Amino acid sequence: MTTSLDLEHLRTLIAIAECGGFSKAAAVRHISQPALSQHVRLLERGLKRKLFEKEGRTMRFTHEGERVLAEARRIIGVHDASLHRLEVERDRTIVIGSTEHSAQQILPEMIRAMQAAFPDCATRFEIGRSTQLGEAVGKGVVDFAFVLDPSGHGAGHLVGRLPLIWYAARGWSPPEPGGTWPLIAFEEPCGLRERALSILTGEGHHVEVAAQSTTLEGVLAGVRAGLGVALLPSAGGRPSGLSVCGDLPDAGTTHLRMVARRGLAAEVEETALAAGVEFFAQRPHLQLVPAAAQGA
């Protein structure tokens, strides 16, 4: 049996309990799921006891696992309290989130702004779907994130509006009158998917979701393969291999909002918001939100 316990492994155990599962805990700990599982295996091997057992498709703590979890919380609590009393400063990292749609354009500007304003802080970024980023901000895993809000009623600061464009593969031919329009979309829930279906059915078209994906690259691959059309926001530039589908009605815009975690330092939030507004100000083809509306 081991004579010492790794603090990082104990933090992993606590994260699993607080997040309700391995995958969410891995995201919170900023490590891969295999690495997180290795932390658990090393604890089990060192303590010579099983900490988890299967319950259907999920894993739950064993009785021994609950005992170890309780000790882990005590150990980490004492450790962190000691560091606080000794006034040991932790390395500060600003975690920035962005949807896939705007990451390539917005993240470089945002990272530059953070590094200029806070040179002693490291920066890290997370890319994902708006719903996932919103949850990460809510849990405090991400400091702030730029997310899409097709409904126009989401939380956070309204930074700007991105035009929604219909895309198809080069040389793709639309269906004959009365035919079915194939749509390539993100898996539900997705505001863009709902907007696309609403517009197409509102024009009297019969629509079928021909392919769906959890990622932007998956959606683009389906469109490039000629499987159908997709409605996507544009932050500048056109996806390679695609052309604008001019046979469909104007889809308007989607709001881009900045959401920040509770307790984020005011100077960080203000710097991020200013950088987001500046991004739009430098791109007249995108829609800048008036200053009075930014706190909406």
Side-chain angles (χ1 to χ4, degrees):
M1 183 176 287
T2 185
T3 57
S4 63
L5 294 171
D6 190 301
L7 293 178
E8 292 306 307
H9 298 172
L10 296 180
R11 290 189 191 279
T12 290
L13 202 67
I14 295 169
I16 293 171
E18 292 180 346
C19 296
F22 280 48
S23 59
K24 290 182 179 179
V28 168
R29 295 283 286 132
H30 306 306
I31 59 176
S32 67
Q33 192 163 331
L36 181 135
S37 298
Q38 178 69 359
H39 286 188
V40 173
R41 284 194 294 270
L42 290 173
L43 275 173
E44 290 181 327
R45 188 181 305 162
L47 294 171
K48 298 188 184 303
R49 62 195 71 191
K50 192 175 178 62
L51 304 182
F52 291 90
E53 61 186 3
K54 273 198 170 185
E55 185 177 55
R57 295 185 176 181
T58 62
M59 300 288 285
R60 70 179 182 87
F61 282 93
T62 62
H63 174 67
E64 288 298 318
E66 294 285 359
R67 289 184 60 201
V68 175
L69 174 63
E71 294 300 329
R73 284 176 166 148
R74 292 190 188 97
I75 293 169
I76 295 299
V78 170
H79 174 270
D80 290 353
S82 297
L83 289 182
H84 180 73
R85 288 193 297 272
L86 293 170
E87 299 179 344
V88 176
E89 292 188 6
R90 294 183 177 181
D91 293 337
R92 185 179 178 188
T93 299
I94 299 174
V95 185
I96 307 166
S98 174
T99 67
E100 295 175 288
H101 307 281
S102 56
Q104 185 175 355
Q105 291 78 20
I106 289 180
L107 277 182
E109 301 292 333
M110 197 56 52
I111 292 173
R112 278 193 287 269
M114 290 295 112
Q115 290 178 336
F118 309 102
D120 295 331
C121 295
T123 54
R124 189 170 58 77
F125 54 87
E126 297 282 345
I127 300 174
R129 296 181 63 179
S130 294
T131 51
Q132 296 168 337
L133 290 171
E135 292 174 359
V137 169
K139 292 177 180 177
V141 178
V142 172
D143 289 312
F144 62 88
F146 292 89
V147 299
L148 299 179
D149 174 29
S151 70
H153 303 295
H157 303 281
L158 180 56
V159 177
R161 298 182 179 89
L162 299 175
L164 293 174
I165 309 294
W166 295 101
Y167 290 107
R170 291 173 183 169
W172 185 81
S173 299
E176 297 293 328
T180 299
W181 279 80
L183 179 68
I184 314 300
F186 285 90
E187 290 186 0
E188 297 180 300
C190 176
L192 292 177
R193 175 182 176 137
E194 294 176 4
R195 175 83 68 90
L197 289 170
S198 175
I199 291 173
L200 291 173
T201 55
E203 290 291 309
H205 297 302
H206 180 264
V207 189
E208 180 181 74
V209 178
Q212 56 186 341
S213 174
T214 59
T215 67
L216 176 60
E217 192 53 44
V219 172
L220 292 175
V223 179
R224 290 189 183 108
L227 300 181
V229 298
L231 181 64
L232 299 172
S234 173
R238 180 186 304 175
S240 62
L242 302 186
S243 60
V244 175
C245 185
D247 300 294
L248 294 172
D250 177 54
T253 62
T254 182
H255 293 77
L256 185 72
R257 291 185 181 273
M258 192 192 89
V259 291
R261 68 170 174 81
R262 182 177 300 176
L264 180 64
E267 62 269 23
V268 175
E269 186 170 354
E270 291 165 2
T271 300
L273 181 58
V277 171
E278 180 64 18
F279 171 85
F280 279 85
Q282 294 179 1
R283 292 160 178 80
H285 63 287
L286 300 178
Q287 297 189 36
L288 177 68
V289 175
Q294 288 168 16

